[in-house]
Amino acid sequence: MVKVISEAEYGQVQECPLAVLDFSATWCGPCKMIAPILEKLSEEMKGKVGFFKTDVDASPGLAARFGIQNIPTLVILKNGEEAGREMGFKPEPLLRSILEGYLN
């Protein structure tokens, strides 16, 4: 399950050994396309990867903190530190492969 968070809840992301933070917006078409893929992957990777989502319009400070200029942007965090970043829509097989790379 992808947990929707605000800036105040960002600490939950840092508690995960491996986390995906999805920066998106309700008006963004590619964000709507990637959302069900992230939901599916969150179920498959439950217990290994934490999945979080934040709306750039509702959490502008968090978006600024990460320098988000395009959405969707997935920020991958290992032990609270940014380990990678994926921008734009990615098909499920590619996204799964990318995330599995961070698990190894």
Side-chain angles (χ1 to χ4, degrees):
M1 178 171 154
V2 177
K3 180 167 175 54
V4 178
I5 63 162
S6 65
E7 291 176 51
E9 299 166 307
Y10 176 68
Q12 295 175 30
V13 177
Q14 293 180 304
E15 293 172 7
C16 292
L18 184 62
V20 175
L21 180 53
D22 173 23
F23 286 91
S24 63
T26 57
W27 47 264
C28 168
C31 299
K32 292 177 186 176
M33 291 169 51
I34 204 168
I37 294 171
L38 293 174
E39 277 297 334
K40 182 176 181 184
L41 292 175
S42 74
E43 292 301 320
E44 289 178 15
M45 298 179 170
K46 192 173 187 174
K48 298 178 189 171
V49 182
F51 285 79
F52 302 87
K53 177 179 188 170
T54 192
D55 187 301
V56 295
D57 294 325
S59 299
L62 193 53
R65 176 179 179 175
F66 282 92
I68 302 301
Q69 306 239 336
N70 301 303
I71 55 173
T73 294
L74 304 177
V75 176
I76 296 99
L77 299 150
K78 277 187 117 169
N79 301 314
E81 297 292 322
E82 185 172 338
R85 188 176 285 225
E86 296 295 325
M87 290 181 270
F89 176 80
K90 302 276 189 287
E92 182 182 329
L94 178 57
L95 196 50
R96 179 184 288 108
S97 175
I98 290 167
L99 294 179
E100 285 174 348
Y102 288 100
L103 288 170
N104 300 327

